[in-house]
Amino acid sequence: MNRFHGTGVAMVTPFQADGEVDYPALGKLIDHLIDGGVEYLVSLGTTGESATLSKDEKKKVWEFTAKTVDKRVALVAGIGGNNTRETVAEIAAFDVDGYDAILSASPHYNKPTQEGIYQHYKAIAEAAKLPIILYNVPSRTGSSVAAETTVRLAKEFKNIIGIKEASGSFDLLNQLFRDKPEDFLVISGDDPISLQMIAMGGVGVISVVGNALPRQFSDMIRKCLAGDFKGAHASHYSMIEFTRLMFAEGSPAGVKSALKQLGVCGDTVRLPLVNVSTAADAKIGEQLKVVK
């Protein structure tokens, strides 16, 4: 599972001005990230605006991404939802060619109990042809996957190999790191505290910021994984304000602003998301000049 150590990037989905998927820009983004030294990519996670893509669009994006990546780095597909039956069917039917794992967020809106979350992931694990990475992101789902539930799933299903943890709760993280199986991967889903999570035993990050700063962010993460936290400090601190701006007016609007200014892709987002304000756009441009 070393393929998922280091920096993974939750890729944005570039759109043309009319809102259609911009495939040439997506290809440019993929090359930008691989050339920037990231270890793996995530296609159509939350950052990819997957909630606003149709099933046909998702299929085409996954196929294009796998073909463009061409096994140069590991590749993960984001497949989740709050309808367990539908999610299981989508995962069972997924064309795994070119992909190495599935990232699946816990169900949103329904606010299931911990037993409901367990049963949801149990059904996914039994249907999946690829390893599963859980995703705990309570700020978006309305509920949190408790450490006990994650550990239970990790111990009972060998194809559940890790979790992207974005709860921001160090109480939860303390318990998770203490109780998890040794080979179970804990991956930061929260860019600002990735350094701290690696210090606790995390194996890396699935990053939003890495879309714009693949070299800077992946270099910082590699130093952390090598135990050189002092060496990582300069990069970590230089990116704090940039990282804050990435989320200040919504994600991925912030990072798409940065990508447009870097000449990688446009900044179009689909409603209900909107572009960042002119003031935020200018601040992002200023920070792009100072990150190290």
Side-chain angles (χ1 to χ4, degrees):
M1 293 299 102
N2 288 342
R3 291 171 294 177
F4 307 115
H5 287 221
T7 300
V9 172
M11 294 188 294
V12 304
T13 301
F15 298 122
Q16 300 171 8
D18 63 2
E20 294 302 305
V21 176
D22 187 341
Y23 287 99
L26 178 55
K28 189 174 182 179
L29 173 65
I30 290 168
D31 289 340
H32 164 72
L33 297 174
I34 294 174
D35 292 345
V38 305
E39 278 74 29
Y40 62 101
L41 303 175
V42 178
S43 176
L44 295 184
T46 307
T47 307
E49 297 178 68
S50 54
T52 61
L53 269 69
S54 69
K55 289 183 178 180
D56 185 56
E57 285 176 321
K58 289 179 182 180
K59 183 179 179 182
K60 289 178 180 177
V61 168
W62 280 322
E63 289 175 352
F64 177 88
T65 300
K67 182 178 180 180
T68 305
V69 171
D70 194 25
K71 300 187 185 297
R72 287 180 288 168
V73 295
L75 185 57
V76 179
I79 308 177
N82 63 343
N83 180 334
T84 303
R85 181 179 293 183
E86 185 177 277
T87 301
V88 167
E90 188 174 4
I91 287 173
F94 179 69
D95 181 359
V96 302
D97 188 34
Y99 285 84
D100 299 282
I102 289 169
L103 175 70
S104 194
S106 62
H108 61 278
Y109 191 76
N110 307 56
K111 298 186 75 171
T113 64
Q114 292 303 307
E115 183 61 26
I117 292 171
Y118 168 83
Q119 293 294 338
H120 174 83
Y121 279 126
K122 177 178 184 288
I124 287 173
E126 291 173 345
K129 303 167 189 172
L130 290 174
I132 300 294
I133 300 172
L134 313 176
Y135 183 15
N136 185 31
V137 56
S139 64
R140 290 188 179 271
T141 63
S143 63
S144 184
V145 184
E148 296 93 338
T149 303
T150 299
V151 171
R152 181 184 177 192
L153 288 162
K155 289 181 176 179
E156 293 187 17
F157 300 97
K158 294 301 181 185
N159 61 336
I160 295 180
I161 61 168
I163 185 168
K164 178 184 177 183
E165 241 302 328
S167 67
S169 169
F170 280 92
D171 183 55
L172 183 154
L173 289 169
N174 282 333
Q175 185 177 345
L176 178 57
F177 280 114
R178 182 192 67 192
D179 297 340
K180 73 177 186 67
E182 184 176 356
D183 60 350
F184 185 77
L185 309 177
V186 178
I187 301 165
S188 172
D190 200 356
D191 282 323
I193 60 170
S194 296
L195 182 150
Q196 294 90 328
M197 284 185 62
I198 292 172
M200 297 176 74
V203 299
V205 62
I206 294 176
S207 174
V208 174
V209 172
N211 278 280
L213 305 176
R215 178 184 58 79
Q216 295 93 326
F217 212 89
S218 58
D219 284 352
M220 186 267 288
I221 293 296
R222 277 191 285 272
K223 287 178 181 177
C224 292
L225 290 171
D228 181 15
F229 290 99
K230 185 175 181 179
H233 284 170
S235 293
H236 173 71
Y237 292 128
S238 77
M239 289 187 282
I240 285 177
E241 183 60 18
F242 180 81
T243 299
R244 188 191 68 77
L245 287 167
M246 291 301 93
F247 304 97
E249 294 188 5
S251 178
V255 77
K256 280 191 168 182
S257 165
L259 287 166
K260 182 178 181 180
Q261 295 184 61
L262 290 167
V264 177
C265 68
D267 63 353
T268 302
V269 291
R270 283 186 176 178
L271 288 170
L273 301 183
V274 295
N275 294 112
V276 299
S277 65
T278 302
D281 189 65
K283 289 178 181 178
I284 288 167
E286 292 168 6
Q287 285 300 310
L288 280 171
K289 300 174 183 177
V290 302
V291 290
K292 298 177 181 179

